[in-house]
């Protein structure tokens, strides 16, 4: 099994921290805690956790800013945003700034554990076919090292962006609906989420890998159907 995976909980409500920590540890994770945004950011930099649970409304620095700073620093740790309300704007903003997933409070521990498990970087990446070696358009995917390059220059992708790219590139020309992608890439029993997540992730990915994101040449849209990777 190897070493325990470490989850950093950044949340200012102590009762939530306590119950989340208890449940994570019972599931075999090591935990770190921070009660404000600044110390959460410091802990992420210092301890390099395997996943971060990140509240939005935090003292000193809000969760969105913590996530944004980490991404700007090239840290691609999986981040699950904890949103206080069923706020569409919060969810989309969270994904836009590079969070991998979000969960709305109040959440069940069962749901949270499913999200953590699904988002934590799997050492073996077993569920994604890693057959996508040299792709197209100057894009190279190195599944051994989770590394994607464009014309030889490394591109920083979040885990979801990476998995989506590898999945689509592994099946060039095959069109997948957003629901398909939710199941295949976001995998597991993804409870009650909207397919908007797929669109936002596709857009972010295009901004990183396409020469002209407004006229994509690699990840293409089949109108009313879904997305596919160019080729063959
Ligand atoms: Ca809070």
């Amino acid at each position: 099994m190897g070493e325990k995976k470490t989850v950093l909980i950044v949340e200012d409500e102590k009762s939530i921290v306590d119950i989340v920590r208890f449940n994570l540890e019972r599931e075999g994770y090591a935990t770190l805690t921070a009660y404000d945004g600044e110390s959460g950011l410091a802990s992420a930099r210092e301890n390099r956790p395997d996943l971060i649970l990140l509240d939005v409304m935090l003292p000193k620095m809000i969760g969105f800013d913590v996530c944004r700073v980490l991404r700007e620093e090239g840290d691609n740790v999986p981040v699950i945003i904890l949103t206080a309300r069923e706020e569409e704007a919060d969810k989309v903003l969270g994904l836009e700034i590079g969070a991998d997933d979000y969960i709305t409070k109040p959440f069940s521990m069962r749901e949270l554990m499913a999200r953590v498990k699904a988002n934590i970087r799997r050492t073996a990446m077993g569920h994604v076919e890693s057959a996508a070696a040299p792709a197209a358009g100057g894009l190279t995917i190195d599944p051994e090292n989770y590394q994607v390059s464009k014309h030889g220059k490394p591109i920083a992708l979040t885990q979801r962006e990476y998995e989506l790219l590898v999945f689509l590139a592994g099946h060039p020309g095959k069109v997948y609906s957003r629901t398909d992608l939710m199941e295949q890439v976001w995998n597991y029993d993804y409870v009650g989420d909207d397919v908007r997540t797929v669109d936002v992730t596709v857009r972010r990915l295009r901004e990183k890998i396409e020469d002209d994101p407004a006229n994509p040449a690699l990840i293409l849209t089949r109108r009313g159907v879904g997305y596919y990777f160019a080729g063959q």
Side-chain angles (χ1 to χ4, degrees):
M1 285 301 288
E3 279 188 29
K4 280 186 180 181
K5 297 287 186 184
T6 301
V7 177
L8 169 61
I9 309 160
V10 188
E11 164 66 74
D12 58 327
E13 279 176 64
K14 191 170 184 303
S15 58
I16 297 181
V17 173
D18 288 347
I19 190 163
V20 168
R21 179 167 55 191
F22 173 81
N23 279 274
L24 285 168
E25 290 179 354
R26 197 176 57 180
E27 294 285 318
Y29 297 102
T31 58
L32 296 161
T33 54
Y35 296 92
D36 66 72
E38 279 179 9
S39 46
L41 179 59
S43 179
R45 285 170 171 157
E46 189 184 330
N47 301 302
R48 317 290 295 178
D50 296 292
L51 183 138
I52 301 176
L53 292 173
L54 185 59
D55 185 28
V56 175
M57 297 311 290
L58 288 166
K60 295 188 183 171
M61 187 179 202
I62 66 165
F64 290 144
D65 287 341
V66 173
C67 184
R68 185 181 293 119
V69 169
L70 287 171
R71 294 302 185 239
E72 282 168 5
E73 292 175 355
D75 190 331
N76 288 316
V77 56
V79 172
I80 303 177
I81 298 269
L82 309 175
T83 60
R85 310 153 286 168
E86 192 66 34
E87 273 287 342
E88 193 62 24
D90 274 10
K91 293 177 184 176
V92 173
L93 180 59
L95 296 168
E96 296 274 6
I97 61 169
D100 295 89
D101 205 350
Y102 50 78
I103 189 165
T104 308
K105 297 182 199 173
F107 45 78
S108 73
M109 281 305 130
R110 190 157 164 255
E111 186 183 5
L112 182 68
M113 292 307 130
R115 298 287 176 111
V116 168
K117 195 174 167 207
N119 278 281
I120 213 154
R121 192 179 284 285
R122 304 151 197 80
T123 23
M125 292 288 279
H127 72 295
V128 174
E129 286 146 65
S130 46
L139 199 70
T140 315
I141 302 169
D142 171 8
E144 298 272 295
N145 301 304
Y146 305 113
Q147 185 59 63
V148 175
S149 318
K150 174 93 176 167
H151 304 304
K153 262 176 56 185
I155 299 173
L157 299 179
T158 67
Q159 182 187 344
R160 278 290 182 247
E161 291 161 359
Y162 175 84
E163 291 179 352
L164 178 63
L165 175 62
V166 169
F167 180 78
L168 288 172
H171 307 83
K174 183 159 170 30
V175 183
Y176 291 93
S177 72
R178 295 181 295 179
T179 312
D180 289 340
L181 292 171
M182 268 281 162
E183 286 173 14
Q184 299 289 324
V185 179
W186 276 255
N187 65 62
Y188 73 118
D189 335 312
Y190 204 88
V191 254
D193 263 286
D194 52 87
V195 289
R196 185 77 196 271
T197 303
V198 176
D199 297 334
V200 175
T201 309
V202 166
R203 189 162 77 241
R204 290 178 46 82
L205 188 52
R206 280 173 171 163
E207 280 164 11
K208 294 181 180 181
I209 67 168
E210 299 280 359
D211 290 330
D212 177 6
N215 294 293
L218 296 170
I219 295 181
L220 305 178
T221 303
R222 176 72 48 83
R223 278 208 151 201
V225 186
Y227 298 106
Y228 65 105
F229 196 84
Q232 269 103 16

